[in-house]
Amino acid sequence: MTHTNHQHLPNLLDLADSALRPLDGLADLRLAHPLLCHRHPHLANAVDAMARIGRLQGQGYRLIGAFDGNRLAAVAGYRFQENLLFGRFLSLEDLITADTHQGADWSCRLLLGLERLARAEGYLCLVVERHGGQPGAEDHYRRSGLIPSSIRYSKPLILTDRSHPMCPSNTLSVLRLIASPRGAESESLRLSHQVLDGIARQSGERPLSVTDLDLNTLAHVDGSYARVLAGSADMDPSQPASSLQRSDNLIHQLDKADVLVIATPMHNYGVPSVLKAWIDHIVRIRVTFNSTPQGKVGLLRDRPVYGAISSGGLITGDRARQPDFLRPYLKAALATVGLNHPQFFTVEGTARGDVELAAARQKAEEHVIEFFSARPLGHANSGARSFSVVHQ
């Protein structure tokens, strides 16, 4: 028996992609009707189709559209359910891309939005029934991390809120830094999703709790911060919004995390300024490192660190023609606080056209899969803290 949730309607904050929005009113349903007819030719009569969709909405069915400007590029139909096999899950019933927008990752953006929506609501699985669909649909589901069985695809989801009542107490806490200003279109963010999938597979039955920190909203350190660190002023506790207080909060957030994932583009051969701002906040003398006659000594415990990096040009291999200051700098800065063995994955040549971009994505994905398949749980890098599967 399946229980259906009839109440929830998503908003743009749930979906975290400005191109996505719910399709709810009659005008929206009429806009979606031609796309739905691609998948369901028997719905050609618009009046009958509107009536049927209205009845399904009363049973919890919802539609979300992906928009390219004012044009509807793709549509997804789903509902929240619960059964004995999967527990609480999001059932994806329709995923249709317009013929004019094939090959542009619109369906991928819808899947990512629905995953985020489901995680935010505490649902533990995304399920797609295996029935007819658009050409290439099954390959797309596989690339998106959905696991095939004889009658359906399914994907366990990573809860994004460790305090959520559905989030078990033995979760593996992951802090993901997002440095790209491009939002859901970011290649580094896309690559970091694959890194999270690798971590999830490696962690076995231990669920992940992911905290996303968008660095594009982070303020830089200020004069009061510099004066306190130089020893020429005391911290003013009456200023909770000061950069020193912000630094305390960011260090505490990092210290709680079991794993750090950094999703960042390369800007002018180095780190973006927003990522540099985060580093300035967390690399702090007498708090995260001490200065000794032998050099700086990190005070944080080591843990796995994964960098998902995108670059417009090539930074590895025989064809590389530009310097890379990003990875050496990150290694040095992280080692200063005690994070000694970062592992980097790169998607390179993102500005070299669609063909090279597709090849770069595939190469990066293969690197991620190979890395996490070859290493047992808790040995992602040699200095990492072990996080074996434990049921408490």
Side-chain angles (χ1 to χ4, degrees), residues 315-338:
I315 58 175
T316 61
D318 295 338
R319 299 167 60 203
R321 296 294 184 271
Q322 68 179 53
D324 171 17
F325 302 123
L326 188 154
R327 287 178 293 181
Y329 172 72
L330 274 183
K331 285 182 180 179
L334 293 170
T336 299
V337 300

Side-chain angles (χ1 to χ4, degrees), residues 25-41:
L26 185 58
D28 282 341
L29 298 183
R30 286 173 176 162
L31 186 64
H33 178 244
L35 275 186
L36 293 171
C37 287
H38 278 283
R39 169 83 185 246
H40 306 289

Side-chain angles (χ1 to χ4, degrees), residues 31-96:
L31 186 64
H33 178 244
L35 275 186
L36 293 171
C37 287
H38 278 283
R39 169 83 185 246
H40 306 289
H42 57 282
L43 295 180
N45 185 295
V47 175
D48 291 345
M50 296 303 105
R52 179 174 296 194
I53 294 172
R55 291 193 297 271
L56 289 174
Q57 286 179 325
Q59 301 167 26
Y61 181 75
R62 297 289 181 256
L63 287 168
I64 288 177
F67 286 84
D68 181 9
N70 294 322
R71 294 187 298 170
L72 183 62
V75 64
Y78 73 97
R79 67 183 89 202
F80 287 121
Q81 296 184 328
E82 182 173 5
N83 64 19
L84 295 178
L85 178 61
F86 292 109
R88 289 156 56 88
F89 67 97
L90 185 150
S91 174
L92 179 64
E93 301 182 9
D94 296 293
L95 184 61
I96 309 159

Side-chain angles (χ1 to χ4, degrees), residues 284-292 295-299 336:
R284 188 165 144 197
I285 192 167
R286 297 181 296 276
V287 179
T288 57
F289 76 92
N290 278 333
S291 183
T292 74
K296 295 180 173 65
V297 177
L299 300 178
T336 299

